[in-house]
Amino acid sequence: MSGSSPATRLQQLFEGRRLTPTQRRIAHSMVRRAGDVPFLSSVELAELAGVSQPSVTRFAVALGFDGYPALRKHLREVAPAEPEPAGGDDAYNEYQQAVLGEIENLRHLAELLADPGPVERAGRLLAASRPLPVLGLRAASSQARGFGYFAAKVHPDVRVLDEGGSMLRDRIDAARRAGASALICFALPRHPKEVVDALAYAQEQGMAVVSVADSAFAPVAKYSDLLIPAAVGTGLAFDTACAPMLLGRVLLEAMCDDLPDAQARLEEFDARAAARGLFVE
């Protein structure tokens, strides 16, 4: 763990824990502010997470500590703050800070991908599913459509589920009847309840769920067989999702590795596109 970032080391503290929704909120806030958390009081952490101070104390106890002071002492040992660059954030305007925040999210993603096992497992699950449903509603719909657009070039049957409503379960049913064994979900804040319900239903129907979410503690975690986190940026009025988008492309690459005819499909598409004059050179 010595070469990892404070956020990565902190997240390892929570992995495998059965946390309540309030506790997941605290954990998520701590990961996002990993450099500051070891120096926050329980009251300050409660304000950061938008919960009560007693909730922070119960959270520390749930992690196996005598109380919050013991947890904070532990955090100072395992997730010390990293030195700030000269000038700090004050040297940049709000737009630059938003970009720098996304760069930091990408760094965290790169550290996570040092272990390729989860991504490789996800690639196998997605490649083997015929058809392959791709779910993403509201803020995540563009992620689902982007993944589905490229996946369709190499996968024989991709079905993008980017609209909710009473038809959503019908479309999951149809995919399952056609042979779907897995579903990939893009889940971003704010998390629609409909997405959580859809994943629970997909699992009930025997489908494996692979999720790309903004946090390992996102509401979809409970109904995901494999969740790979990629943080969103919150420095602007609307969240930015560079890391989730890149993670989607990484999963596409892993899926291609398990599709023996992926390269042939791409070459066939390029030949047809050239014959149709589809793109301007």
Side-chain angles (χ1 to χ4, degrees), residues 21-278:
T22 297
Q23 291 168 350
R24 288 199 302 269
R25 186 171 182 174
I26 297 170
H28 182 45
S29 298
M30 292 174 71
V31 170
R32 293 186 65 84
R33 295 282 297 276
D36 300 327
V37 163
F39 306 98
L40 298 180
S41 68
S42 60
V43 173
E44 290 170 328
L45 178 56
E47 291 177 353
L48 177 65
V51 301
S52 67
Q53 188 275 336
S55 293
V56 172
T57 300
R58 289 192 292 270
F59 173 72
V61 173
L63 293 178
F65 297 92
D66 292 336
Y68 181 71
L71 171 59
R72 185 169 61 176
K73 180 177 182 294
H74 178 74
L75 294 180
R76 290 178 179 179
E77 296 171 354
V78 302
E82 295 179 330
E84 292 288 338
D89 287 346
D90 293 340
Y92 303 100
N93 63 43
E94 62 178 309
Y95 310 124
Q96 291 175 301
Q97 290 179 29
V99 172
L100 292 172
E102 284 287 32
I103 291 172
E104 186 63 21
N105 288 340
L106 291 172
R107 285 199 185 101
H108 291 164
L109 179 59
E111 291 169 359
L112 181 71
L113 295 177
D115 175 10
V119 167
E120 292 172 348
R121 179 186 168 204
R124 290 191 294 271
L125 288 170
L126 303 181
S129 185
R130 301 285 195 285
L132 174 61
V134 182
L135 173 63
L137 302 184
R138 294 186 179 267
S141 61
S142 60
Q143 304 292 328
R145 287 194 296 270
F147 183 95
Y149 171 79
F150 290 110
K153 295 181 183 299
V154 294
H155 192 288
D157 191 352
V158 177
R159 304 186 184 187
V160 176
L161 311 179
D162 59 352
E163 295 183 0
S166 61
M167 293 290 291
L168 183 55
R169 286 198 177 192
D170 292 345
R171 298 179 70 188
I172 292 174
D173 281 337
R176 181 57 175 155
R177 285 196 301 271
S181 57
L183 174 151
I184 180 169
C185 171
F186 290 86
L188 302 177
R190 301 171 66 185
H191 294 276
K193 182 177 182 296
E194 197 168 11
V195 170
V196 177
D197 293 342
L199 295 190
Y201 183 72
Q203 283 192 330
E204 289 175 5
Q205 304 312 305
M207 300 170 67
V209 173
V210 175
S211 291
V212 172
D214 60 299
S215 164
F217 315 106
V220 297
K222 182 178 180 181
Y223 301 105
S224 300
D225 297 281
L226 178 58
L227 185 149
I228 307 176
V232 300
T234 58
L236 302 174
F238 299 100
D239 290 346
T240 50
C242 294
M245 181 184 70
L246 181 54
L247 179 54
R249 299 299 187 269
V250 169
L251 289 170
L252 278 168
E253 185 76 9
M255 185 180 74
C256 286
D257 290 342
D258 276 275
L259 288 170
D261 56 348
Q263 187 60 39
R265 286 178 177 272
L266 285 175
E267 291 174 358
E268 180 183 4
F269 172 80
D270 286 342
R272 289 182 177 178
R276 294 166 55 194
L278 193 57

